[in-house]
Amino acid sequence: MKAVKITLFVMTLIVFGLFMIGFSMTPAPGASSGNGNPAFFILFALVPLFVVMSLLWWTLLRFYTIRTSAYVIGTGAILIHLAAAFLYRQHTLNAYRDVIRQALADRGGTVDGNYLQSITTGLSFHINNQNFNVNTFLMFLTASILAAIIFRLSDQWDGRSKRRAE
């Protein structure tokens, strides 16, 4: 079990490092974006890391005896955290759009709303600092824990239904 905990800790540090690298790939407000977004490569690395981290959390949860009520309370707390973190991200994104709008106005005088929306939506290079930061790292971490809890609860319910069928 110690190996699982150490692996989970090391993976958490790696994921945090990837989020900070993505954060640093944001151009200055009003600057041009170049040819694409190199942070896409970070996203491709995060998907398998999410799966592995969820499995490691699931392994830890299987090792310890935890009541179903604690899982339900934990799931509720995680869902509240994810909702609050998402709302915070939307708030900071809107504030950052204002910063970019001002930078574009300072550079060229007028700001096209459609252009501003297009460069601040999805996985645009201009908002890497909004997609990769401490808040989104914590969202990633708690989402992996949530996945592990769901898998663990499904294990428990599946085991109970098999015992009842016998």
Side-chain angles (χ1 to χ4, degrees), residues 111-127:
V111 179
D112 178 17
N114 290 331
Y115 173 72
L116 179 65
Q117 188 66 28
S118 72
I119 67 169
T120 58
T121 303
L123 295 173
S124 169
F125 190 75
H126 292 280
I127 58 168

Side-chain angles (χ1 to χ4, degrees), residues 4 7 15 22 38 40 43 45 48 59 61 81 89 98 103 124 149 155:
V4 171
T7 304
V15 167
F40 279 131
L43 269 180
T59 302
L61 294 175
H81 168 260
R89 185 200 173 278
D98 291 338
S124 169
I149 289 173
D155 277 353

Side-chain angles (χ1 to χ4, degrees), residues 2-24:
K2 186 175 181 178
V4 171
K5 291 177 184 178
I6 291 170
T7 304
L8 190 55
F9 178 74
V10 169
M11 289 189 73
T12 301
L13 291 177
I14 290 169
V15 167
F16 182 73
L18 289 173
F19 270 82
M20 293 303 99
I21 289 169
F23 179 85
S24 69

Side-chain angles (χ1 to χ4, degrees), residues 23-40:
F23 179 85
S24 69
M25 291 181 174
T26 307
S32 67
S33 64
N35 283 337
N37 189 352
F40 279 131

Side-chain angles (χ1 to χ4, degrees), residues 129-142:
N129 62 352
Q130 299 298 307
N131 293 326
F132 299 100
N133 56 45
V134 173
N135 179 50
T136 55
F137 163 73
L138 292 174
M139 290 172 72
F140 180 93
L141 191 61
T142 55

Side-chain angles (χ1 to χ4, degrees), residues 48-70:
L49 289 172
F50 179 86
V51 172
V52 172
M53 286 183 74
S54 295
L55 290 172
L56 290 169
W57 284 116
W58 174 74
T59 302
L60 279 178
L61 294 175
R62 285 185 64 197
F63 183 75
Y64 296 104
T65 304
I66 300 172
R67 298 178 69 148
T68 303
S69 60

